[in-house]
Amino acid sequence: MIVRYAIDAVVELSVIASFTRIGPAIRRRLFAWDAAEPGSLKGRTALVTGPTSGLGRAVVDDLARLGARVVLVARSADRLARVRDELIAAHGGDRFPIVVADMGSLTSVRAAVAEVLATETRLDIVVDNAGAIFPERTVGPDGIEATLAVLVVGPFALIGGLLPLLRTTPAARVIAMTSGGQYTQALDLDDLQTAAASYAGALAYARAKRAQVCLVREWARRLAADDVTFCAMHPGWADTPGLADTLPGFYNVMRRLLRTPSEGAATASWLAATADVGRFNGKLVLDRRARPFDRVPWTVVSPADRRHLWDQVVGLSGMPDPLPSA
Ligand SMILES: NC(=O)c1ccc[n+]([C@@H]2O[C@H](COP(=O)([O-])OP(=O)(O)OC[C@H]3O[C@@H](n4cnc5c(N)ncnc54)[C@H](OP(=O)(O)O)[C@@H]3O)[C@@H](O)[C@H]2O)c1
């Protein structure tokens, strides 16, 4: 076993092996990954943001195959209806409700929360997956820079609003789809919205993903006594429309080595289904193992700065603090 962990650690150190399809190919054999039983999520309810493309589409397919009811959340009613129909055709059952919501608009997120609270009686799994890179700096309808709004503030308001349902559902879990890009940026609490002077799409994206992971750790800390697990996972690099459209140069160079959407999404699907999810509370996971939060010392975020981030995001979300700090 020690040898297997040593090999896995070497793979993890080499970013390219870990993030590409080489990673799961090696780790699947090393650790003899098992597959969840079809039907093992029967009776459970999941909510997935961004299920109309790429990784989110792969996650909802996995969850549907395992028997879950899956609430589909994205911006376009037409695209959502297409996914719902595909899921019914592939997996059967009218168990894929649609909620139209833009994660970059707090009004829209609040309406989505109200809709879910009115229609669902339990919420076992949330996959916070929706995301985008904005090449130009854009400010959304709430006056918040768009990357931060879509990746951080909107999901925070969504999860905060759904918290009562999560807390009353046994072994509930929130899984945040972060990015290896978060390893490249420190948290800048004085420039959370990446001011125009320093703005670049990939920079704002990496910062927002780091903030997202910091918040996962803070949710986990504040809910330590509850039966709700908060974890982050990253998909490595996966062949999705999102990656091809926003980073075409990188996509063309790496194309042959990219994970399939299903391989990229596999960590999220596995966390959604595993009984033992509690051991990943507040952790960052890739390929079924907790991974470091940082790869270089200057990105380490102190507990105090994570608390300050929480307070800033509460302020931006316009909602009362869902979990005032003890
Ligand atoms: N692909 C990779 O290699 C990679 C690597 C690291 C992290 N990620 C992360 O994985 C997640 C999924 O990425 P992907 O590559 O699968 O991208 P994708 O193919 O572009 O899919 C993005 C999904 O997010 C939804 N979405 C985008 N903006 C939204 C908004 N404002 N409100 C609600 N939904 C929104 C889209 O739905 P509609 O357009 O229909 O609303 C779509 O379903 C993202 O968080 C991304 O940062 C991906």
Side-chain angles (χ1 to χ4, degrees):
M1 195 45 113
I2 291 174
V3 175
R4 287 184 214 165
Y5 284 122
I7 294 171
D8 182 38
V10 171
V11 171
E12 177 61 15
L13 269 178
S14 144
V15 171
I16 289 184
S18 183
F19 287 21
T20 60
R21 63 187 162 84
I22 299 168
I26 294 175
R27 290 163 172 153
R28 183 176 298 113
R29 287 182 185 80
L30 274 182
F31 298 106
W33 286 353
D34 55 353
E37 286 294 312
S40 55
L41 289 181
K42 202 158 188 284
R44 312 269 175 85
T45 299
L47 179 149
V48 180
T49 65
T52 55
S53 173
L55 298 168
R57 180 67 186 81
V59 169
V60 294
D61 215 32
D62 287 341
L63 300 182
R65 187 180 311 113
L66 297 179
R69 173 178 169 84
V70 188
V71 182
L72 309 168
V73 182
R75 291 169 296 182
S76 154
D78 287 348
R79 287 195 290 272
L80 285 165
R82 193 199 66 223
V83 173
R84 178 200 58 205
D85 294 347
E86 289 169 1
L87 291 173
I88 292 172
H91 306 290
D94 190 3
R95 53 190 164 99
F96 308 109
I98 285 171
V99 175
V100 178
D102 181 344
M103 298 308 293
S105 156
L106 288 168
T107 306
S108 180
V109 170
R110 280 187 213 111
V113 166
E115 196 173 335
V116 174
L117 292 180
T119 55
E120 304 304 322
T121 54
R122 60 183 300 148
L123 189 55
D124 302 85
I125 300 154
V126 172
V127 183
D128 162 22
N129 162 78
I133 294 180
F134 296 86
E136 307 292 332
R137 189 177 190 278
T138 314
V139 174
D142 306 294
I144 304 168
E145 187 279 314
T147 326
L148 189 78
V150 171
L151 297 180
V152 177
V153 182
F156 184 88
L158 180 77
I159 294 161
L162 296 176
L163 199 56
L165 204 50
L166 287 162
R167 288 178 111 169
T168 52
T169 307
R173 61 212 55 192
V174 177
I175 301 155
M177 181 78 71
T178 183
S179 162
Q182 70 97 30
Y183 282 121
T184 65
Q185 291 298 318
L187 184 69
D188 187 346
L189 285 170
D190 296 325
D191 189 21
L192 214 49
Q193 303 198 42
T194 310
S198 56
Y199 189 87
L203 172 94
Y205 171 83
R207 285 179 169 187
K209 290 291 189 182
R210 175 158 291 279
Q212 178 196 33
V213 174
C214 289
L215 288 174
V216 162
R217 299 175 74 181
E218 198 54 21
W219 280 110
R221 185 183 76 79
R222 291 177 192 231
L223 278 171
D226 275 55
D227 191 15
V228 185
T229 296
F230 275 80
C231 52
M233 51 70 58
H234 80 85
W237 297 321
D239 188 346
T240 65
L243 188 70
D245 290 350
T246 52
L247 297 175
F250 176 80
Y251 178 81
N252 287 330
V253 171
M254 295 302 294
R255 189 171 189 171
R256 288 165 165 221
L257 284 177
L258 295 176
R259 296 176 181 220
T260 63
S262 174
E263 287 169 338
T267 303
S269 302
W270 179 76
L271 286 165
T274 186
D276 197 15
V277 73
R279 71 192 164 100
F280 295 110
N281 199 26
K283 304 276 198 244
L284 169 59
V285 186
L286 172 67
D287 291 343
R288 304 191 181 196
R289 289 196 64 200
R291 308 291 172 183
F293 292 109
D294 302 278
R295 285 176 168 261
V296 287
W298 57 87
T299 61
V300 173
V301 182
S302 69
D305 279 352
R306 294 202 293 270
R307 288 196 294 276
H308 290 145
L309 171 69
W310 176 279
D311 291 340
Q312 282 203 37
V313 174
V314 168
L316 290 169
S317 75
M319 68 194 293
D321 191 333
L323 292 168
S325 187

